[in-house]
Amino acid sequence: MKNSFEKEFNQIMSEEKEMPVKVRKSLDQSYDIIRAKSKKKKVNFIWKRVATAACALIVTGVVLTNEHVMASINEFFNFGDKGIEQAINNGFIQESDSTITDQGIKITLDKHFSDANKLGLNFHLAFEDPSILNNVREVSMDYRLKNGDGDYIYEFIPDTKPLKGDNRYTSGSEHQNPILDIKTGEIQYDVLTDSNEGVIPSLRDAVIEVESVNVFYNTGEIKKIDGNWKLSVANKDNEKPDLTVQYAMKDQTSIIQVTKANANPTSLNLTFSLDGIYENENTFVDMKIVDEDGNEYGVTGFRKSTRNNKTIISTNFPITSYSEANKLKLIVEGIGEVELLKK
């Protein structure tokens, strides 16, 4: 079973020319997790989930020339994140329509959202010369998000450019092109950034400084178009105090000590500690939140640190303040569980 699985995986991974870089990296990381599993049933389940996610990424990144097909999947923030979906369905999103044209490319910030845990940006790019997109694989941007006080919240730039801040607020990001229309030169570029520690500040008079548009071709070549696009971020604030729900441990003597459990519009940010040093990060891959109805919520990433002979984990679960749960349970397989009650 194991040999068959690895053979199939290696065969897929060898088809590098047909697989976007971000999909390959995602599969590499996921396979590392899979190999750490001990139960074959669990391996099969995770492999199916990874394969499905990979196919979804490949499909959403496909080059579109048919207007009807393009319209049918013209969605935004479609990252498979149930928490984000719930937030959007509840109106936690802001329209922007800030537009700047430079170097023959018009960039518009159509929509965005943010809370302490996650930040989403939905861009629309229009190329005056669509031929630039011939044989395109994907399009990205070099940009920085600066708050009104001058503090740089997030910078997505290559190592060849210096940071203007310290990127202390965010943990990682996902980027995708749901639309790549060669005929019209229309591009949709979505970004989802998260903070495992839940420390993204509120946006006030923020500006997105786009420095370059990057066109990646199927040949492996890259065209970098440098310019100056400064997009203002709408000041409307959807994050009202009543949209944050706090939870506390029912049993203060639990082996799992939860020091923070805040449900915001996009996710539940949680920090807990354990006595001792846990070197193996795979120990925490299967941690989950279970709500009152038995629904389970896993994680896609987390931050692990150590202090005073304790292991500290910070992460986001895709259950939100809109769920209005009164009682939750945190389960860390092989370690224990702790019940959380709404304050």
Side-chain angles (χ1 to χ4, degrees), residues 46-115:
I46 293 176
W47 168 245
K48 289 177 182 178
R49 185 173 61 187
V50 171
T52 301
C55 290
L57 280 172
I58 294 171
V59 169
T60 55
V62 72
V63 177
L64 301 176
T65 56
N66 185 302
E67 292 181 1
H68 297 292
V69 175
M70 183 183 72
S72 68
I73 66 169
N74 186 12
E75 302 175 0
F76 46 87
F77 304 126
N78 187 16
F79 290 93
D81 187 313
K82 296 300 182 183
I84 298 299
E85 291 176 10
Q86 188 176 34
I88 291 175
N89 290 338
N90 280 275
F92 190 72
I93 194 166
Q94 299 182 26
E95 302 286 342
S96 181
D97 294 330
S98 176
T99 300
I100 296 292
T101 300
D102 191 22
Q103 305 301 313
I105 304 173
K106 181 171 73 173
I107 301 179
T108 301
L109 175 64
D110 280 337
K111 304 174 184 68
H112 73 279
F113 65 81
S114 69
D115 61 15

Side-chain angles (χ1 to χ4, degrees), residues 117-186:
N117 306 339
K118 299 195 177 186
L119 166 71
L121 302 172
N122 167 238
F123 297 96
H124 178 265
L125 288 75
F127 286 72
E128 293 179 1
D129 180 8
S131 66
I132 295 175
L133 301 176
N134 288 339
N135 204 25
V136 67
R137 188 183 78 227
E138 60 182 303
V139 175
S140 70
M141 303 189 311
D142 299 348
Y143 64 93
R144 310 173 198 260
L145 173 61
K146 182 176 69 173
N147 223 350
D149 59 2
D151 190 16
Y152 281 88
I153 297 174
Y154 177 63
E155 298 176 80
F156 186 73
I157 57 172
D159 293 338
T160 54
K161 295 181 179 180
L163 288 173
K164 295 184 178 180
D166 52 18
N167 268 347
R168 68 182 183 275
Y169 298 116
T170 60
S171 307
S173 64
E174 297 178 69
H175 301 242
Q176 66 180 15
N177 295 132
I179 296 175
L180 286 171
D181 192 327
I182 294 176
K183 279 188 176 180
T184 64
E186 305 287 323

Side-chain angles (χ1 to χ4, degrees), residues 4 15 25 31 157 177 180 183 197 275 283 291 303 306 342:
S4 175
E15 299 173 1
K25 288 182 179 178
Y31 189 42
I157 57 172
N177 295 132
L180 286 171
K183 279 188 176 180
E197 295 180 302
D275 287 335
T283 302
D291 66 16
R303 181 180 187 273
T306 57
K342 181 179 178 181

